[in-house]
Amino acid sequence: MTYTLENEECLVRVNSHGAELSSFIRKDLDNLEYIWPADPAVWARHAPVLFPIVGRLPQDQYTHQGQTYTLTQHGFARDREFALVRQTAAELVLELRDDEQTRALFPFAFRLLISYRLAGHQLTIGWEVQNTGTGELLFSIGAHPAFRCPLLPGESFEDYVFDFDHPVTLERHLLQGGLLAGRTEPLLHEQTELPLTYDLFVQDALVFKHFDFTNLTLRSRRSGRSVRMRFDGFPYLGLWTKGPGAQFVCIE
């Protein structure tokens, strides 16, 4: 099932499968699509919701209260069907509740609400996790939107930069086999932009644990077209693309 939010400026589509944002079109800018179309030959997702874990576990397993469970990368919410809670012209709320299948992977009772609110050309996405059980609820949650890059014909991936609102110093936390390797590498020192190249992602995603900004802008140096994300309260940030030739970049 696909749900639609629309106003004079934008058209937004959200799939009930995974409560996943699948399209963000600026109607007032030549119907420009910002979201990656999930080409299965490259990467078959648009903007998955990561729950109840973000990232990967060693051997895809963890132990809770003496019992071992299997939970694959980024959890199961992105592959589950969400139910409609509420829809208006400007707002959509979808929910996922625990069931026998989820409890076999994740032994907790929960209600997960994903909301989308469209105002002008700004889309606000909210996550609400409710503990419907009697014990402690352990979880992580995150976003994984993939933005088309380049946005316009005639541009290349290398025409784009990430803009910061002030000079930043960043070190990336290196990954090995999808897991944190326990090593870091300097990336930026008092700089206001990060130029995109595919070489940046040869060692997998750029993962940051310590940063002093809550806004990030993906911008074309040629056309000036851009998309800006705000992520208050998130302790970790990831930037990723599939590899050379992939025409998207994710802000996780």
Side-chain angles (χ1 to χ4, degrees):
M1 178 81 182
T2 300
Y3 298 98
T4 299
L5 301 176
E6 187 172 8
N7 59 25
E8 292 183 355
E9 298 177 51
C10 296
L11 172 64
V12 173
R13 294 187 177 95
V14 177
N15 294 334
S16 58
H17 187 78
E20 183 176 16
L21 173 67
S22 62
S23 179
F24 186 102
I25 294 174
R26 282 293 298 269
K27 294 163 53 180
D28 58 341
L29 290 178
D30 304 322
N31 287 317
L32 181 63
E33 173 66 77
Y34 282 81
I35 300 298
W36 166 248
D39 180 353
V42 182
W43 190 61
R45 298 185 188 272
H46 304 280
V49 174
L50 314 183
F51 177 88
I53 62 169
V54 176
R56 172 163 284 162
L57 300 167
Q59 290 81 51
D60 292 331
Q61 292 185 333
Y62 69 99
T63 300
H64 178 67
Q65 295 185 347
Q67 185 170 342
T68 298
Y69 298 87
T70 297
L71 193 57
T72 55
Q73 185 177 29
H74 295 325
F76 50 74
R78 60 183 183 168
D79 295 316
R80 295 299 303 270
E81 194 70 18
F82 280 64
L84 178 65
V85 174
R86 182 170 66 256
Q87 183 181 20
T88 66
E91 181 188 37
L92 173 69
V93 182
L94 300 169
E95 73 167 3
L96 177 68
R97 294 176 179 264
D98 65 284
D99 57 23
E100 185 176 345
Q101 288 183 321
T102 68
R103 288 191 293 272
L105 307 171
F106 179 69
F108 300 93
F110 67 88
R111 184 188 187 211
L112 171 61
L113 295 165
I114 308 294
S115 63
Y116 294 89
R117 295 177 177 88
L118 181 63
H121 57 265
Q122 177 173 297
L123 180 65
T124 301
I125 305 174
W127 297 270
E128 181 179 339
V129 181
Q130 298 177 0
N131 183 355
T132 57
T134 56
E136 185 179 33
L137 173 59
L138 306 174
F139 71 94
S140 297
I141 191 165
H144 200 310
F147 299 101
R148 292 177 57 242
C149 184
L151 287 168
L152 297 179
E155 294 183 330
S156 70
F157 188 81
E158 290 79 7
D159 288 330
Y160 283 73
V161 298
F162 279 118
D163 283 334
F164 305 93
D165 290 346
H166 60 268
V168 299
T169 296
L170 291 173
E171 62 177 15
R172 65 183 296 185
H173 290 257
L174 298 174
L175 301 175
Q176 185 172 352
L179 302 171
L180 289 169
R183 295 180 287 112
T184 62
E185 183 177 272
L187 184 68
L188 295 177
H189 180 72
E190 290 297 302
Q191 292 168 255
T192 57
E193 69 177 33
L194 173 64
L196 286 187
T197 68
Y198 288 114
D199 287 345
L200 275 175
F201 305 98
V202 168
Q203 300 181 75
D204 209 330
L206 305 180
V207 176
F208 309 111
K209 285 189 177 185
H210 305 287
F211 49 91
D212 62 350
F213 54 90
T214 57
N215 297 285
L216 188 61
T217 301
L218 174 66
R219 175 180 58 86
S220 167
R221 289 183 289 196
R222 292 186 62 183
S223 67
R225 295 289 178 90
S226 65
V227 59
R228 181 172 175 85
M229 273 193 70
R230 176 176 170 179
F231 36 87
D232 295 340
F234 283 82
Y236 309 113
L237 173 69
L239 305 174
W240 176 77
T241 190
K242 182 70 173 179
Q247 296 189 336
F248 70 86
V249 65
C250 293
I251 302 176
E252 306 179 40

Short mmCIF file of all heavy atoms in Angstrom, two decimals, residues 107-135:
data_model
loop_
_atom_site.label_atom_id
_atom_site.label_comp_id
_atom_site.label_asym_id
_atom_site.label_seq_id
_atom_site.Cartn_x
_atom_site.Cartn_y
_atom_site.Cartn_z
N PRO A 107 12.77 -10.40 21.99
CA PRO A 107 11.77 -10.82 22.98
C PRO A 107 11.21 -9.67 23.82
O PRO A 107 11.21 -9.73 25.06
CB PRO A 107 12.57 -11.79 23.84
CG PRO A 107 13.96 -11.25 23.82
CD PRO A 107 14.14 -10.69 22.42
N PHE A 108 10.73 -8.65 23.14
CA PHE A 108 10.20 -7.48 23.84
C PHE A 108 8.85 -7.10 23.25
O PHE A 108 8.61 -7.27 22.04
CB PHE A 108 11.16 -6.29 23.71
CG PHE A 108 12.53 -6.54 24.28
CD1 PHE A 108 13.55 -7.00 23.46
CD2 PHE A 108 12.79 -6.33 25.62
CE1 PHE A 108 14.82 -7.23 23.96
CE2 PHE A 108 14.05 -6.56 26.14
CZ PHE A 108 15.07 -7.01 25.31
N ALA A 109 8.00 -6.56 24.10
CA ALA A 109 6.71 -6.03 23.65
C ALA A 109 6.88 -4.55 23.32
O ALA A 109 7.47 -3.79 24.10
CB ALA A 109 5.65 -6.22 24.73
N PHE A 110 6.36 -4.12 22.17
CA PHE A 110 6.56 -2.75 21.76
C PHE A 110 5.44 -2.31 20.82
O PHE A 110 4.73 -3.12 20.21
CB PHE A 110 7.91 -2.58 21.05
CG PHE A 110 7.97 -3.29 19.72
CD1 PHE A 110 7.56 -2.65 18.55
CD2 PHE A 110 8.42 -4.59 19.63
CE1 PHE A 110 7.60 -3.30 17.32
CE2 PHE A 110 8.46 -5.26 18.40
CZ PHE A 110 8.05 -4.61 17.25
N ARG A 111 5.34 -1.01 20.67
CA ARG A 111 4.54 -0.38 19.62
C ARG A 111 5.41 0.70 18.98
O ARG A 111 5.88 1.61 19.68
CB ARG A 111 3.26 0.24 20.20
CG ARG A 111 2.33 0.84 19.13
CD ARG A 111 1.19 1.60 19.78
NE ARG A 111 0.20 2.05 18.80
CZ ARG A 111 -0.52 3.17 18.93
NH1 ARG A 111 -0.38 3.93 20.01
NH2 ARG A 111 -1.39 3.51 18.00
N LEU A 112 5.65 0.57 17.68
CA LEU A 112 6.49 1.51 16.96
C LEU A 112 5.62 2.38 16.06
O LEU A 112 4.90 1.85 15.20
CB LEU A 112 7.53 0.76 16.12
CG LEU A 112 8.36 1.58 15.12
CD1 LEU A 112 9.18 2.65 15.84
CD2 LEU A 112 9.28 0.65 14.31
N LEU A 113 5.67 3.68 16.25
CA LEU A 113 4.89 4.63 15.45
C LEU A 113 5.85 5.46 14.60
O LEU A 113 6.79 6.08 15.13
CB LEU A 113 4.08 5.56 16.35
CG LEU A 113 2.97 4.90 17.18
CD1 LEU A 113 2.50 5.85 18.28
CD2 LEU A 113 1.81 4.50 16.29
N ILE A 114 5.61 5.49 13.29
CA ILE A 114 6.38 6.32 12.37
C ILE A 114 5.43 7.36 11.78
O ILE A 114 4.40 7.01 11.22
CB ILE A 114 7.00 5.48 11.24
CG1 ILE A 114 7.80 4.30 11.81
CG2 ILE A 114 7.88 6.36 10.36
CD1 ILE A 114 9.01 4.68 12.60
N SER A 115 5.80 8.62 11.92
CA SER A 115 4.93 9.71 11.44
C SER A 115 5.64 10.52 10.36
O SER A 115 6.85 10.70 10.39
CB SER A 115 4.50 10.62 12.59
OG SER A 115 5.63 11.27 13.17
N TYR A 116 4.85 11.02 9.42
CA TYR A 116 5.32 11.91 8.36
C TYR A 116 4.41 13.13 8.34
O TYR A 116 3.18 13.00 8.26
CB TYR A 116 5.27 11.21 7.00
CG TYR A 116 6.23 10.05 6.87
CD1 TYR A 116 5.85 8.77 7.25
CD2 TYR A 116 7.52 10.25 6.38
CE1 TYR A 116 6.73 7.70 7.15
CE2 TYR A 116 8.41 9.19 6.28
CZ TYR A 116 8.01 7.92 6.66
OH TYR A 116 8.89 6.86 6.56
N ARG A 117 5.02 14.32 8.39
CA ARG A 117 4.25 15.56 8.37
C ARG A 117 4.85 16.49 7.32
O ARG A 117 6.05 16.80 7.38
CB ARG A 117 4.24 16.22 9.75
CG ARG A 117 3.51 15.38 10.79
CD ARG A 117 3.57 16.01 12.18
NE ARG A 117 2.80 15.22 13.14
CZ ARG A 117 3.31 14.19 13.83
NH1 ARG A 117 4.57 13.84 13.66
NH2 ARG A 117 2.54 13.53 14.68
N LEU A 118 4.03 16.95 6.39
CA LEU A 118 4.47 17.79 5.29
C LEU A 118 3.95 19.20 5.49
O LEU A 118 2.75 19.42 5.64
CB LEU A 118 3.98 17.23 3.95
CG LEU A 118 4.38 17.99 2.69
CD1 LEU A 118 5.90 17.99 2.51
CD2 LEU A 118 3.67 17.39 1.48
N ALA A 119 4.88 20.17 5.48
CA ALA A 119 4.51 21.59 5.58
C ALA A 119 5.40 22.37 4.62
O ALA A 119 6.63 22.41 4.80
CB ALA A 119 4.69 22.10 7.01
N GLY A 120 4.81 22.96 3.61
CA GLY A 120 5.62 23.63 2.59
C GLY A 120 6.50 22.61 1.90
O GLY A 120 6.04 21.57 1.44
N HIS A 121 7.82 22.89 1.84
CA HIS A 121 8.73 21.91 1.26
C HIS A 121 9.56 21.22 2.35
O HIS A 121 10.66 20.72 2.08
CB HIS A 121 9.64 22.57 0.21
CG HIS A 121 10.45 23.73 0.73
ND1 HIS A 121 10.05 25.03 0.62
CD2 HIS A 121 11.64 23.76 1.37
CE1 HIS A 121 10.96 25.82 1.15
NE2 HIS A 121 11.94 25.08 1.62
N GLN A 122 9.03 21.17 3.55
CA GLN A 122 9.71 20.48 4.65
C GLN A 122 8.92 19.25 5.08
O GLN A 122 7.72 19.33 5.36
CB GLN A 122 9.88 21.41 5.85
CG GLN A 122 10.52 20.72 7.07
CD GLN A 122 10.84 21.71 8.17
OE1 GLN A 122 11.64 22.62 8.01
NE2 GLN A 122 10.17 21.56 9.31
N LEU A 123 9.60 18.13 5.13
CA LEU A 123 9.01 16.88 5.61
C LEU A 123 9.63 16.54 6.95
O LEU A 123 10.87 16.42 7.06
CB LEU A 123 9.27 15.75 4.62
CG LEU A 123 8.71 14.38 5.00
CD1 LEU A 123 7.18 14.40 5.04
CD2 LEU A 123 9.20 13.30 4.05
N THR A 124 8.80 16.38 7.97
CA THR A 124 9.27 16.01 9.31
C THR A 124 8.88 14.56 9.57
O THR A 124 7.71 14.19 9.46
CB THR A 124 8.65 16.92 10.39
OG1 THR A 124 9.00 18.28 10.11
CG2 THR A 124 9.16 16.54 11.77
N ILE A 125 9.88 13.75 9.92
CA ILE A 125 9.66 12.33 10.19
C ILE A 125 9.90 12.09 11.67
O ILE A 125 10.91 12.52 12.23
CB ILE A 125 10.61 11.45 9.35
CG1 ILE A 125 10.45 11.80 7.85
CG2 ILE A 125 10.33 9.97 9.59
CD1 ILE A 125 11.45 11.10 6.96
N GLY A 126 8.95 11.41 12.30
CA GLY A 126 9.06 11.15 13.74
C GLY A 126 9.04 9.66 14.05
O GLY A 126 8.38 8.88 13.36
N TRP A 127 9.76 9.27 15.09
CA TRP A 127 9.76 7.89 15.58
C TRP A 127 9.30 7.91 17.04
O TRP A 127 9.82 8.69 17.84
CB TRP A 127 11.15 7.29 15.54
CG TRP A 127 11.75 7.15 14.18
CD1 TRP A 127 11.65 6.10 13.32
CD2 TRP A 127 12.58 8.11 13.51
NE1 TRP A 127 12.35 6.34 12.16
CE2 TRP A 127 12.93 7.57 12.25
CE3 TRP A 127 13.04 9.38 13.83
CZ2 TRP A 127 13.73 8.25 11.34
CZ3 TRP A 127 13.83 10.07 12.92
CH2 TRP A 127 14.17 9.49 11.69
N GLU A 128 8.35 7.08 17.36
CA GLU A 128 7.91 6.93 18.75
C GLU A 128 7.89 5.44 19.08
O GLU A 128 7.21 4.66 18.42
CB GLU A 128 6.51 7.53 18.95
CG GLU A 128 6.01 7.42 20.39
CD GLU A 128 4.64 8.04 20.57
OE1 GLU A 128 4.25 8.86 19.74
OE2 GLU A 128 3.96 7.65 21.55
N VAL A 129 8.66 5.07 20.08
CA VAL A 129 8.73 3.67 20.51
C VAL A 129 8.08 3.56 21.88
O VAL A 129 8.52 4.21 22.84
CB VAL A 129 10.18 3.17 20.58
CG1 VAL A 129 10.22 1.69 21.00
CG2 VAL A 129 10.87 3.36 19.23
N GLN A 130 7.02 2.78 21.97
CA GLN A 130 6.30 2.59 23.23
C GLN A 130 6.60 1.21 23.79
O GLN A 130 6.57 0.20 23.06
CB GLN A 130 4.79 2.74 23.01
CG GLN A 130 4.37 4.11 22.51
CD GLN A 130 2.88 4.20 22.24
OE1 GLN A 130 2.14 3.23 22.42
NE2 GLN A 130 2.43 5.37 21.81
N ASN A 131 6.89 1.16 25.07
CA ASN A 131 7.10 -0.10 25.77
C ASN A 131 5.74 -0.60 26.25
O ASN A 131 5.15 -0.05 27.18
CB ASN A 131 8.06 0.11 26.93
CG ASN A 131 8.38 -1.18 27.65
OD1 ASN A 131 7.82 -2.23 27.36
ND2 ASN A 131 9.30 -1.11 28.61
N THR A 132 5.22 -1.63 25.62
CA THR A 132 3.91 -2.17 26.00
C THR A 132 4.04 -3.39 26.89
O THR A 132 3.03 -4.04 27.19
CB THR A 132 3.10 -2.54 24.74
OG1 THR A 132 3.84 -3.48 23.96
CG2 THR A 132 2.82 -1.30 23.90
N GLY A 133 5.27 -3.69 27.32
CA GLY A 133 5.49 -4.81 28.23
C GLY A 133 5.70 -4.35 29.66
O GLY A 133 5.49 -3.18 29.99
N THR A 134 6.13 -5.26 30.50
CA THR A 134 6.32 -4.95 31.91
C THR A 134 7.77 -4.74 32.28
O THR A 134 8.07 -4.19 33.34
CB THR A 134 5.74 -6.08 32.78
OG1 THR A 134 6.37 -7.32 32.41
CG2 THR A 134 4.24 -6.20 32.57
N GLY A 135 8.68 -5.18 31.44
CA GLY A 135 10.11 -5.06 31.74
C GLY A 135 10.76 -3.95 30.93
O GLY A 135 10.11 -3.15 30.28
#
